[in-house]
Amino acid sequence: MPFAFLPNLGTTELVIVAFVSLLMFGNRLPSVMRSLGKSVTEFKKGVAGIEDELDEAVNADKKITPPAP
């Protein structure tokens, strides 16, 4: 089962959770999912930016060659 935090979750329980979430969020569910998607996208962009900076720093260190004796 892919839910590590809910190991004993069956089909019936998933249906109940989906129904309760529809009752709680109702008409706001599309906007909640849209904002969740945007936040995940921004997080991925931030992580990619950090990875790019680290790669540039590592490559810059490799380009510097020590002087010949």
Side-chain angles (χ1 to χ4, degrees):
M1 194 97 199
F3 301 111
F5 57 92
L6 300 171
N8 297 326
L9 197 62
T11 306
T12 307
E13 289 85 5
L14 285 174
V15 170
I16 292 171
V17 168
F19 182 71
V20 169
S21 65
L22 282 175
L23 287 176
M24 287 177 58
F25 293 110
N27 295 337
R28 295 182 295 157
L29 191 59
S31 63
V32 168
M33 291 297 125
R34 190 176 305 114
S35 64
L36 179 65
K38 286 180 182 179
S39 64
V40 168
T41 303
E42 289 297 321
F43 178 76
K44 286 183 179 181
K45 285 181 184 177
V47 169
I50 292 172
E51 288 176 350
D52 291 341
E53 289 177 9
L54 287 175
D55 288 341
E56 288 176 6
V58 168
N59 290 336
D61 287 343
K62 287 182 181 178
K63 288 180 183 178
I64 298 174
T65 57

